[in-house]
Amino acid sequence: MAYLEITLKVSDENRPAAAEVYKKYKEPFLKQIKGAQSKQLLVREEDVQVLHGFATVADAKAYLESKLFTKDVVEELSPYLQDQPEVRIYEVI
């Protein structure tokens, strides 16, 4: 198993719109992306994180290059971001 963690700096006033992007693409992510197992939105005062569960690290890396991520998610989230996202992949051992 592997996790892809994407940390996003989003202002309080833009969080509802960013959450809508998350909701819009959660189901397509789970149904269309190879190895996708879960997706959660984690919220705290300083940022929000999207935690994606995958079968393998290779699946997580492939998602970052997929059209769903690069064209759909990134393009729709971009107007709400205050800084570049921080992307990390973890392997479960």
Side-chain angles (χ1 to χ4, degrees):
M1 176 131 195
Y3 287 98
L4 166 63
E5 174 191 76
I6 302 175
T7 303
L8 309 165
K9 296 280 187 182
V10 181
S11 66
D12 289 342
E13 62 269 6
N14 285 329
R15 285 186 179 196
E20 287 302 315
V21 175
Y22 164 82
K23 289 180 199 173
K24 178 179 179 179
Y25 291 107
K26 181 177 181 176
E27 193 68 25
F29 167 78
L30 292 171
K31 287 187 174 183
Q32 298 172 15
I33 298 300
K34 180 182 179 292
Q37 297 181 349
S38 64
K39 184 174 183 179
Q40 289 92 26
L41 181 63
L42 310 175
V43 179
R44 57 187 190 158
E45 278 188 37
E46 55 272 14
D47 58 32
V48 296
Q49 295 178 341
V50 183
L51 187 63
H52 307 74
F54 289 91
T56 68
V57 168
D59 292 336
K61 288 179 179 178
Y63 170 63
L64 291 173
E65 297 177 8
S66 72
K67 178 189 173 294
L68 180 67
F69 182 73
T70 60
K71 295 296 285 174
D72 299 332
V73 175
V74 170
E75 284 187 14
E76 287 194 39
L77 272 180
S78 290
Y80 310 118
L81 301 180
Q82 295 177 309
D83 203 352
Q84 292 287 8
E86 185 178 320
V87 178
R88 295 181 178 172
I89 296 175
Y90 301 90
E91 183 173 17
V92 178
I93 54 172

